[in-house]
Amino acid sequence: MKLKVMDKLKSLPGPRYKNQGPGSGEEFRGNVLLPAFDDAVEHGEKLIIDMDGAPYGYPTSFLEETFGGLVRLRDSKQVKEHIDIQCTDEPLLVEEIAHYIEFGASEKTPPYEPAEQNT
Amino acid sequence: MREFTLSGVIALAVAIKTKPTHSKKIPPSSIEGNLPMNESVASEFIESGFFRNFTIEGQQLPQAKASWISQREKKVGSQKADKLIKFANENNIHMPQEQKNAIWQNLVECMTNTHNHAKGKDGNPSGDGDTEQWVAGVMCREGEAQFTFIDMGVGICKSVQATNYMTMIKNTISGYGPDKLVRDAFDGKIGSSTGRPGRGLGLPRMRRDAQFGYLQNLKIRTGKVEGDIAKMQYRKVKESFNGTIISWSASTNEE
């Protein structure tokens, strides 16, 4: 199963919460990601999430609420097993999302610090 | 690279907030008074074109060297952040895509923070309450763009300060002041006042992007604190500013 994020967003990626503005992580997670994830789990498949095509990438809060938020709603082991993040535009994004998934259910998420910037 | 001073940043912030409306139907206004005493502040006003819709008797003002636009809203406006970057590009500030990404992402984070801080409690998605307005602008001149973001909310210090009474007493005794609080917020050592998981990540991201050179000369003024974020140097100042001003520059990539 494949999910292309930018095909589902009606605007540029936006803030964390729906009430903060359009294109929020909360809205995307609730309306798109969660149903697709549940479907993938139900069918024992992997959900491939394609992050390419965002004109300026994704804001931190959007990413954390989308993927950290998913881990707060579903079993983290299941999330790691059933989703596969892909991004050729910005390869470090895959690592950053993995960080939010890793710490999403923790009391405090440490800031993501890449070893080297993607230049 | 031009060194932007904090007084200059504040002048720009004032200019953005009080920008005179240009209308062909209304004749240019006449004003009386002096330019700001501080030369760099006066220069920011003149060179920005702030006075272009006014006539000033007996004084020949230099032509505006800068072009600038501003955007304002209460909600997070990712499209408005896009407009600021495109404006810089139209004014011959050519940045690599990674830098544009960093600027856009940080503008959106700043807008998100304004919305969160204004709620003052938990930033609950279903919560009600007034939200403060943000204003963001970009001034372009001589191959450089200066971005300024103004959060007219409670400011970083009040949004991340300890709410626990004992912690507040402990902080006072140990000399843990607002300058250290702001430093720790940019270092990612403290989350937001909400205490909810996954929060407080936007400011460390901004510091990281400054240290990678994407947000050049990144400065902050919030509450009684001003600082250089890339250098992680913060100091207390006498006058308090309600809200937060963040400013950085971006120059044309010569490569």
Side-chain angles (χ1 to χ4, degrees), chain A residues 1-9 28-29 32-38 40 46-53 58 62-63 66-67 70 78-80 82-90 93-94 97 101:
Chain A
M1 299 174 97
K2 192 159 185 172
L3 174 63
K4 187 161 175 61
V5 175
M6 286 309 293
D7 284 350
K8 299 291 180 182
L9 283 173
F28 175 75
R29 189 196 65 223
V32 180
L33 180 59
L34 211 49
F37 173 77
D38 288 344
K46 207 150 199 164
L47 178 65
I48 298 162
I49 303 173
D50 179 357
M51 305 294 292
D52 282 340
Y58 299 85
F62 175 93
L63 290 176
T66 300
F67 296 100
L70 180 65
Q78 221 171 30
V79 170
K80 287 174 193 169
H82 287 273
I83 67 168
D84 180 11
I85 312 291
Q86 296 183 350
C87 187
T88 50
D89 289 350
E90 201 183 333
L93 194 66
V94 177
I97 291 171
I101 290 171

Side-chain angles (χ1 to χ4, degrees), chain B residues 92-96 99 142-144 216 250-255:
Chain B
N92 298 316
I93 313 296
H94 303 297
M95 298 173 271
Q99 188 170 19
E142 296 163 6
E144 282 191 19
Q216 297 155 352
S251 51
T252 292
N253 184 16
E254 302 292 348
E255 289 172 22

